[in-house]
Amino acid sequence: MSSIKDLVQAQVTEHPVLATVLLASALLATEYASSRSDSRSPPWVPYWFPWVGSAVSLGRDPDAFFKNAEAKFGPVFRVKAAGKNMTYVTSPALISAIYRDTRTFEFITIRKTISEEVFSTPKHVAMSSELSEIYFPAHHRILAPTNIGPILHRYAGHISQQLSTKISETEGASTPLIDLVIMPAYVAAAKAFFGERFPATRSYPPFFKFNDAFHLLVANLPRFITAGPREAWSQGVIQLFESYIRDVREAGEYTELINATLSIGDSLGWTDHALATMLGSDLWAMEANAIWAVYWFIVLLLQHPEDLRRVNAEIDSARDKWTSAHSNSPFNASSLPQFIADSADQFPLITSGILETLRLRTSSFSIRRVTTPTEFGGYKFDVDDQLICNTRIIHMDEEIHERPYDFVLDRYVDGGKKYTKNGSPVPNHTLPFGGGVSICEGRHFAQAEIKTFIVTLLSLATIEVDTRNERWPTPAMERVGVGLISPKGDVNVIVRRRN
Ligand code: HEM
């Protein structure tokens, strides 16, 4: 995982003069911005060094940093970090108020800016009204719960194939869990969305270089710091999509997503390069989080063997029901997609475990731009100010979630359970997918995808920790605000095919 320090060090070594000039300009710009604050603005979390601000303490232990800041300054405060001034909102009630007031707190401009600045969509496309009025809604419809069935079915077929191969290759041998999970999950999702012929394996190295630095790219750090990941994006991912678009057009084979993107783009005269950046951003959205959620869920189950037994028992019971209802169908890798589709409501523990994994292992921010001068949370905000709803602080609040740092597999089995804080109900107690207008469009697919992976793996194989080589991954906490927290380190496992 690249830290700011690693990337800066690489650039300073290669371009020392440029680095010094840019750093000096960033310092001056930050000083100017902070000198404009007034007493009705949210309080600053104090810091010693300009530009760097609170970056070091925030990066070292974000949970402690935000908890302390909230305790000292209340639920709205400002943080300076790596040249950026950010206003954070941490209480469930205020976050909910922001999500509801879509006129004062909007997201679409930010989504467009990210399309241009991070995903490299050409400005005239990223900022066009057609992108928000035609393309985004079409995209939204593809991911609606009523429409994802065929994509999910293809995912189930691919993951069953991928895992079958992987299990045969590694049968009985000590294997890093990352090798067992990440590539199969990545390939299955990419092929389900883009088509069987999509060169998923080839897209993996540049995608990961880009994704590794995503939190730095989205923070809009100076380009000299993020040159490597940007190059991986443009020379690796985007070029690959450009040539894939040519292949798809020739072959005439279109998945739902490719069809919508190409037909809208062609009707508006957008180039294949622009369409490639948009499909690239889809690849990022579908791969950056879900595959790591699968990974963490398995790690947490391995760390809680009794929970792994309960999950296996749930799958076995669903399988027994399915096989007695389908006595003529063999239960094997080919019938797994049908078994999973037929048994979707038979996995309450797994469903709860997925949400619990996401509660524990996500750090998701919802960002909003202020559209009109407003008073909020006792402070004054101007047009273009940005507020960040920090949902993880809700996940880790011991008043809302008992034992928030523990993995509790069945935490969400009781759907009627009430969550409260200061005696008031907290309906928005678990927000791994953000909320309001920018809530994750892929959340239905993601949860079904993770369930499909887990049920497929545990139907095909048993999994255990390799105790001869026991080590555990820890969450890379410095990657705040962009969804799943990636692991530092790994665990070795032994998988054996089930009869
Ligand atoms: C566990 C997996 C996932 C997590 C934790 C996750 C999390 C998030 C978060 C936090 C946001 C921003 C929400 C906000 O601003 O309030 C988001 C947005 C989005 N996600 Fe996901 N996501 C996941 C999987 C997926 C998948 C599989 C897809 C697509 C197949 C997807 C597509 C999107 C899209 C298109 C947006 C932008 C929505 C908008 O701007 O209106 N996500 N996701």
Side-chain angles (χ1 to χ4, degrees), residues 99 107-108 111 136 139-140 143 189 193 257 281-282 284-294 354 358 362-368 389 391 431-447 449-450 481-484:
Y99 285 162
F107 180 67
I108 209 80
R111 186 169 176 186
F136 285 165
H139 195 272
H140 189 83
L143 290 169
F193 274 96
L257 184 60
S281 70
D282 284 324
W284 182 81
M286 79 186 57
E287 302 286 19
N289 290 302
I291 59 182
W292 294 107
V294 170
I354 292 168
L358 295 176
T362 49
S363 166
S364 300
F365 290 165
S366 305
I367 311 180
R368 294 292 184 272
C389 305
T391 58
L431 300 166
F433 297 107
V437 286
S438 64
I439 192 166
C440 173
E441 284 178 12
R443 65 194 181 285
H444 307 290
F445 183 84
Q447 289 169 95
E449 167 191 14
I450 300 164
V482 291
L484 255 291

Side-chain angles (χ1 to χ4, degrees), residues 90-96 391 393-395 397 399-401 412 417-431:
T90 57
S91 87
L94 289 179
I95 288 177
S96 168
T391 58
I393 200 158
I394 304 177
H395 295 179
D397 187 327
E399 228 192 302
I400 301 172
H401 298 280
Y412 296 98
K417 184 175 157 193
K418 299 274 180 277
Y419 294 81
T420 58
K421 184 173 170 72
N422 302 326
S424 304
V426 180
N428 56 342
H429 49 81
T430 309
L431 300 166

Side-chain angles (χ1 to χ4, degrees), residues 7 17 23 52 54 60 104 123 174 250 265-266 271 273 282 309 322 345 350 436 438:
L7 286 169
V17 178
L23 213 56
V52 175
S54 302
R60 199 169 34 227
T104 314
K123 191 180 181 109
S174 182
E250 268 172 39
D266 290 351
T271 60
H273 171 74
D282 284 324
R309 269 192 290 279
W322 191 85
D345 59 351
I350 296 176
S438 64

